[in-house]
Amino acid sequence: MTKNNLLSEKLNYIGESETPTHLHLCSYNAEGTQVCRGNLQEVIPQLKTDCINWIQVHGLQNTETIHQLCSHFNIDFLTTQDILNSEHLTKIEEHETYNVVILKQLSIVEQNELIPQQLCIVQGKDYVLTFAEKETDLFNEINTALQKNVLKIRNRQSDFLLSVILNSVMASFMSLISKMEDDLEDLEEQFLSPLSPIPVKQPGIEKIQVYRRNYRLIKKSIFPLKEQINKLFHTENQLLHKANRPFFSDVNDHLQFILQTLEGCRDLLSALVDLYLANNDQRMNSIMKQLTIVSTIFIPLTFLAGIWGMNFQWMPELGWKYGYFFAWGLMIVVGVIVYFYFKHKRWY
């Protein structure tokens, strides 16, 4: 039974990741960046008041570390609970001194299966906190951009870093959904290819089911953002500066592209299921046609064998020296005639 989190003061990590909790601090301003890795006691003293402080938390096993970090930035208890709950739904919340974005990041494992992990982003005036259940390479490109000051990223406020992180998440979804669309189109081509007379192994329903599960997982992860992302465009949100709002519009454009492509994948999946069933029916019809032709060829032969198998006393063929060979010849000729008749009619 699920416990009421409003009646508990104890923080628990709800998830399966066993990644030890460790922190990565990147403090930056127009002059440069400073990087620090370690535990909370090593990172907190390195925070700079004249910089944007980006703390990346990997692994949520140590709930006390998460609690102390959130308390340091005055993040309320309920938000801390949401950060530690890997099963929490995708959402965006606006608070007085910070914005919270909780979403899913998906990664591909063997056989095209997708594995989700929760990613939580807390953006304040001069800081950004990211909480990931496991190690992730999602931030590698952003760290490189900060080092090289790409697009003068170090000269901008914390909300620009939030938009960059969201764009990276959208880019990973776009990559996944585009690959999925290409794979589904390839599957469709295989199902639409003419049936070969030589049996060829075609994709089974289990392969379609993998893509159906992935589709549902992507939809569950990304679809709530369709409504939630509007919270970032409110003019009352003081943490999002007017100069950086176009970048959030860009995030929204990517989100709309993902949603449209996802709808296309849904149509492709429905079409693939129909094609699979139609191909199965066609194969069954082809098999039944072949069996029917074989049966039809043997019907006149069975008729002849039935006549000569009757126990009448006076049957001229029984006393004929060449009766046996004549019977064989007649049956072969009748079988060949029936075969070529079907071939002439193109019934197979």
Side-chain angles (χ1 to χ4, degrees):
M1 180 178 178
T2 304
K3 295 182 179 181
N4 188 340
N5 63 340
L6 296 179
L7 301 177
S8 174
E9 295 182 354
K10 185 178 179 181
L11 291 170
N12 294 302
Y13 165 58
I14 302 174
E16 299 179 353
S17 173
E18 298 180 356
T19 303
T21 303
H22 56 284
L23 283 66
H24 173 208
L25 168 65
C26 178
S27 300
Y28 65 90
N29 55 21
E31 283 71 35
T33 63
Q34 292 185 357
V35 176
C36 172
R37 299 175 185 269
N39 56 36
L40 185 65
Q41 290 70 31
E42 295 170 333
V43 167
I44 291 297
Q46 301 298 322
L47 295 174
K48 308 295 181 182
T49 56
D50 60 340
C51 295
I52 302 296
N53 297 290
W54 177 23
I55 301 179
Q56 304 169 33
V57 182
H58 300 276
L60 305 178
Q61 287 285 333
N62 193 332
T63 57
E64 184 59 30
T65 296
I66 306 300
H67 177 56
Q68 292 178 12
L69 178 62
C70 291
S71 298
H72 180 83
F73 289 98
N74 297 317
I75 298 170
D76 64 58
F77 184 77
L78 285 178
T79 301
T80 307
Q81 283 185 324
D82 293 344
I83 291 171
L84 291 169
N85 183 7
S86 66
E87 299 175 0
H88 201 286
L89 296 177
T90 299
K91 72 170 184 177
I92 296 175
E93 282 185 345
E94 179 187 354
H95 294 256
E96 186 175 351
T97 59
Y98 57 88
N99 294 316
V100 180
V101 180
I102 298 178
L103 39 72
K104 305 295 181 185
Q105 181 194 359
L106 303 178
S107 55
I108 300 179
V109 294
E110 293 181 1
Q111 298 180 346
N112 285 329
E113 290 277 3
L114 294 180
I115 299 297
Q117 72 156 316
Q118 178 167 289
L119 176 65
C120 182
I121 311 167
V122 180
Q123 177 246 336
K125 181 179 179 182
D126 58 357
Y127 67 87
V128 174
L129 311 177
T130 55
F131 300 86
E133 291 186 85
K134 307 172 185 176
E135 296 288 350
T136 176
D137 58 358
L138 182 68
F139 305 132
N140 292 350
E141 190 177 2
I142 304 175
N143 287 318
T144 302
L146 285 170
Q147 294 292 334
K148 298 180 179 180
N149 200 20
V150 177
L151 295 176
K152 295 185 178 179
I153 185 175
R154 297 202 302 258
N155 299 67
R156 302 178 185 270
Q157 298 93 339
S158 63
D159 56 331
F160 181 74
L161 178 59
L162 173 62
S163 72
V164 171
I165 295 173
L166 290 177
N167 244 329
S168 293
V169 174
M170 292 300 111
S172 68
F173 272 102
M174 290 170 66
S175 177
L176 288 174
I177 200 69
S178 296
K179 181 181 183 303
M180 183 177 175
E181 186 180 37
D182 292 341
D183 291 345
L184 290 176
E185 289 177 351
D186 291 341
L187 272 179
E188 188 179 39
E189 289 296 326
Q190 294 180 44
F191 280 123
L192 289 174
S193 61
L195 289 177
S196 171
I198 302 175
V200 178
K201 186 177 181 181
Q202 291 201 349
I205 193 66
E206 65 279 354
K207 193 167 186 179
I208 300 177
Q209 285 297 100
V210 171
Y211 289 109
R212 283 169 62 89
R213 288 194 295 271
N214 290 345
Y215 164 79
R216 287 194 293 267
L217 182 57
I218 294 174
K219 182 178 180 180
K220 182 179 178 181
S221 301
I222 203 72
F223 197 77
L225 284 177
K226 182 179 181 180
E227 301 297 333
Q228 297 282 331
I229 200 168
N230 292 326
K231 297 178 181 179
L232 295 176
F233 298 111
H234 292 168
T235 56
E236 295 82 6
N237 194 331
Q238 301 299 319
L239 292 173
L240 300 183
H241 300 85
K242 184 177 180 180
N244 292 328
R245 289 185 182 273
F247 299 105
F248 288 95
S249 297
D250 188 53
V251 173
N252 188 44
D253 291 341
H254 292 164
L255 174 61
Q256 298 305 318
F257 171 80
I258 294 170
L259 293 172
Q260 291 175 8
T261 309
L262 198 60
E263 288 300 305
C265 289
R266 184 192 65 178
D267 295 338
L268 276 173
L269 282 168
S270 298
L272 285 175
V273 172
D274 293 339
L275 283 171
Y276 173 79
L277 296 175
N279 278 4
N280 270 0
D281 291 342
Q282 189 174 354
R283 274 192 214 96
M284 186 60 67
N285 290 339
S286 178
I287 293 172
M288 293 303 297
K289 184 190 295 184
Q290 293 173 12
L291 292 175
T292 301
I293 290 173
V294 171
S295 300
T296 305
I297 290 175
F298 277 90
I299 285 174
L301 308 187
T302 306
F303 171 74
L304 293 174
I307 291 177
W308 288 316
M310 293 187 293
N311 295 321
F312 289 109
Q313 182 176 2
W314 303 108
M315 291 185 70
E317 297 88 346
L318 295 179
W320 186 24
K321 179 180 179 180
Y322 300 104
Y324 176 75
F325 300 103
F326 172 78
W328 266 109
L330 181 60
M331 286 190 284
I332 291 173
V333 169
V334 170
V336 170
I337 291 174
V338 174
Y339 169 80
F340 280 104
Y341 176 78
F342 284 141
K343 189 171 184 179
H344 175 71
K345 291 292 187 178
R346 298 184 179 179
W347 288 356
Y348 71 97

